[in-house]
Amino acid sequence: GKTLTLTRRIQYLVQEQHVTPHEILALTFTRAARYELKNRTSEELPDSIAIPPRISTLHSFALSQLLRNAPIITFVPRPLRIADDWEERYIIEEDLKRILNLNKIKDVRTKFHQLSADWETLNAEKDNWETEYHDPQFLSAWRKHRETYGYMLRSELVYQLKKSIEQNPDFTLEQLYKHILIDEYQDLNRCDLEVIKMLTTSGVYIYATGDDDQSIYGFRFAYPQGIRMFSQDYSPCEVLPLENCMRCGDNILQIALFVARLDVSRLEKPIRAYNTEQPGEVHLLNFPDQSEEAQCIAQICKHLIEVVGIAPKNILILTRTDRYGVFSSVLKEALTIANVPVATQADVDNSLDQDEGRIFLSFLRLLVNPRDHLAWLTILKIRNNSIGDQTISKIYDFAVAKGFTFINALVEIINSPGLLSINENILQREYESINNTISQFRGVDTNTSEELTHFIANIADTIIENQDLRKEATSYLQSIVTVSEITNLRDLLSTISTSLSDKEQDIDINSVNIMTMHKAKGLTAEAVFIVGAEDEYLPGDQIGEEKEGDERRLLYVSLTR
């Protein structure tokens, strides 16, 4: 497979070509892929290597380069702070809905999607892009909001790196790499591809792995033509086809290839099932309604576990979409009734998005930066403190009018009674309470992953009252600390912020896992159910060859798990 190939390439460079390990950079798409590649590489390379190859996600790498050059970058807030998914949804989008007097969150989300599209497709590079932007009111309101709260969006990270390299002659990378390896090359968008070209200057070798049949992130403007044009973009080069499919038996591979070959633009490639003794089974099942579908899947899962002997974790149930749990809730109920252990993505990864979990995460942020505006706002907004949305809106409007940051405006209001028609006493009491909590844990340095997880557990004991939630939240953070080999709080928070959460998988190892098809990328299972495989959802309303191509590749990836 691709990961083994990348691992052996690094091993070959170090042990046979005698390349200095720290001159090698490997970029992955997800946190989990980084962990797997880092683990495999460390197993293959000698223990005597002092500085190992740099293995990072693309977004984490972009953030690292921006941070080291922060003093010379003038067009992003400082200190650099990436807003996470919850903050985008419940602070940034909600605020702009109010500021722009819009009816629905969907309206704000559409505006952000259009802005992200301009960054990721490089439409923002066009002459007069800013002066001719189709929605100047939104652009202006967002920029004021970003300046007041001091954040960047994750979707602009790579674009800002590209812009910084181009516009700052003094911009320097952490290391001049001689060998750059890239995983999942088919998932890069036009902006990502341009940054890779900037990194691969004269004398740099690029080694890319990918499969245009598996380019499924069209909503992030992944550009499958990038890998299809690799031979022209980096000529002269050599193409090394991986011909053995290690994951699927022939029956499964053939139906998947039937789907893939419907795309006339794809690269035809030789591929065959490696295991000829287990061709696999494919069954097409029809049901009169969703309830009967769920009940039948539950009974098949029960049979696979109890009779066939497949472990629950090796069974995946995939859906094209699952907004409001429309599929997973029905499936989960049927599996639970059948006494089959089951987990959805919501069960696995939402502990930090519940109120106490979010307050806990905000205090962690304040320990790294006591002036983290979004963290202050989060605590004021959701803690039981009698501070309502109207008060917070007045603080924000005051900050914008005076050109203050949120914290400066808050302190000014507390120190100047009567400045606004709000209860300053409640604000001051909450301000002091938050600072007192921060002071309990300030000044603690951690040097190992064990020290960091112990420190996090101590903070959780103080802040999270719900015992089950506390356990879930600390376990979730501990898993990230372990996977990413993190030793300090700052790096942990950066990892959380730069993870592409809609692409990360957090699997319950004791259960049948229900997830969207996008999240199944890179996973392997012994039994896979694809539910709702009907025109209403696949391709659904994704009309046109480009959008239908995304849906077709998504089905191919799901079939080949």
Side-chain angles (χ1 to χ4, degrees), residues 92 297 410:
I92 300 169
I297 288 174
L410 179 65

Side-chain angles (χ1 to χ4, degrees), residues 141-158:
W142 170 66
R143 284 178 169 168
K144 285 178 183 175
H145 192 270
R146 182 171 85 152
E147 186 179 340
T148 303
Y149 288 115
Y151 63 83
M152 279 177 63
L153 298 175
R154 193 168 48 212
S155 57
E156 65 177 305
L157 252 179
V158 180

Side-chain angles (χ1 to χ4, degrees), residues 161-399:
L161 174 61
K162 177 183 183 296
K163 189 174 172 183
S164 299
I165 294 172
E166 287 176 333
Q167 297 186 6
N168 289 294
D170 297 327
F171 190 97
T172 58
L173 297 174
E174 61 192 12
Q175 165 79 33
L176 292 177
Y177 295 102
K178 292 185 178 179
H179 293 267
I180 298 179
L181 295 81
I182 302 156
D183 191 19
E184 305 289 12
Y185 194 85
Q186 78 283 345
D187 289 328
L188 302 181
N189 57 42
R190 285 179 175 87
C191 182
D192 300 333
L193 291 166
E194 283 299 310
V195 168
I196 297 301
K197 279 194 175 178
M198 288 178 168
L199 298 178
T200 54
T201 53
S202 177
V204 176
Y205 289 89
I206 179 172
Y207 186 90
T209 69
D211 177 3
D212 62 318
D213 288 335
Q214 297 187 52
S215 180
I216 62 173
Y217 298 123
F219 60 86
R220 193 185 160 268
F221 304 98
Y223 188 57
Q225 284 300 109
I227 194 166
R228 291 168 181 166
M229 298 296 292
F230 186 91
S231 297
Q232 290 94 313
D233 291 342
Y234 291 96
S235 179
C237 73
E238 186 177 0
V239 177
L240 307 168
L242 297 177
E243 299 183 2
N244 290 311
C245 178
M246 311 300 288
R247 184 180 273 120
C248 301
D250 190 61
N251 289 341
I252 295 167
L253 183 60
Q254 290 310 313
I255 195 172
L257 286 173
F258 167 77
V259 171
R261 286 170 177 152
L262 295 172
D263 184 348
V264 296
S265 300
R266 75 182 284 268
L267 294 174
E268 185 56 48
K269 50 193 78 74
I271 185 167
R272 58 183 173 270
Y274 181 73
N275 186 345
T276 57
E277 295 180 2
Q278 293 182 308
E281 298 179 32
V282 179
H283 299 281
L284 181 61
L285 308 179
N286 271 291
F287 302 99
D289 56 51
Q290 187 182 4
S291 176
E292 190 167 324
E293 176 185 51
Q295 291 169 23
C296 185
I297 288 174
Q299 290 306 314
I300 296 173
C301 286
K302 191 176 181 69
H303 173 81
L304 292 173
I305 294 167
E306 296 180 357
V307 179
V308 182
I310 295 178
K313 68 176 182 179
N314 288 325
I315 300 175
L316 289 177
I317 302 176
L318 308 180
T319 68
R320 171 59 186 88
T321 182
D322 193 38
R323 180 168 291 185
Y324 310 120
V326 65
F327 283 105
S328 61
S329 59
V330 179
L331 288 161
K332 185 176 180 180
E333 181 181 8
L335 286 157
T336 302
I337 291 171
N339 292 318
V340 174
V342 57
T344 66
Q345 284 293 291
D347 298 326
V348 174
D349 60 16
N350 74 348
S351 57
L352 292 180
D353 288 345
Q354 296 183 37
D355 283 357
E356 278 195 294
R358 184 48 51 171
I359 292 168
F360 165 58
L361 181 58
S362 297
F363 272 112
L364 295 182
R365 295 192 188 282
L366 290 175
L367 286 169
V368 170
N369 175 18
R371 295 180 61 80
D372 187 311
H373 306 287
L374 287 178
W376 273 98
L377 174 61
T378 299
I379 297 172
L380 293 176
K381 188 180 178 76
I382 64 178
R383 202 153 77 152
N384 187 15
N385 52 22
S386 300
I387 297 173
D389 289 341
Q390 257 192 332
T391 297
I392 290 172
S393 295
K394 287 180 180 179
I395 298 170
Y396 174 77
D397 293 342
F398 175 75

Side-chain angles (χ1 to χ4, degrees), residues 329-477:
S329 59
V330 179
L331 288 161
K332 185 176 180 180
E333 181 181 8
L335 286 157
T336 302
I337 291 171
N339 292 318
V340 174
V342 57
T344 66
Q345 284 293 291
D347 298 326
V348 174
D349 60 16
N350 74 348
S351 57
L352 292 180
D353 288 345
Q354 296 183 37
D355 283 357
E356 278 195 294
R358 184 48 51 171
I359 292 168
F360 165 58
L361 181 58
S362 297
F363 272 112
L364 295 182
R365 295 192 188 282
L366 290 175
L367 286 169
V368 170
N369 175 18
R371 295 180 61 80
D372 187 311
H373 306 287
L374 287 178
W376 273 98
L377 174 61
T378 299
I379 297 172
L380 293 176
K381 188 180 178 76
I382 64 178
R383 202 153 77 152
N384 187 15
N385 52 22
S386 300
I387 297 173
D389 289 341
Q390 257 192 332
T391 297
I392 290 172
S393 295
K394 287 180 180 179
I395 298 170
Y396 174 77
D397 293 342
F398 175 75
V400 171
K402 295 292 184 181
F404 289 170
T405 61
F406 181 75
I407 297 301
N408 287 348
L410 179 65
V411 172
E412 179 76 10
I413 292 165
I414 290 171
N415 291 336
S416 307
L419 194 61
L420 298 179
S421 56
I422 58 177
N423 191 328
E424 296 94 347
N425 291 331
I426 293 176
L427 268 184
Q428 181 165 6
R429 190 163 60 244
E430 185 69 352
Y431 179 76
E432 291 173 353
S433 171
I434 293 169
N435 275 316
N436 288 337
T437 302
I438 297 169
S439 65
Q440 291 181 47
F441 301 101
R442 188 177 289 151
V444 176
D445 293 323
T446 58
N447 299 306
T448 67
S449 297
E450 291 75 18
E451 289 176 359
L452 178 58
T453 52
H454 181 69
F455 180 50
I456 291 169
N458 286 341
I459 300 169
D461 287 341
T462 300
I463 294 169
I464 304 178
E465 293 183 7
N466 184 301
Q467 189 173 347
D468 291 337
L469 181 63
R470 188 193 316 145
K471 184 178 179 181
E472 288 175 22
T474 52
S475 295
Y476 178 66
L477 291 177

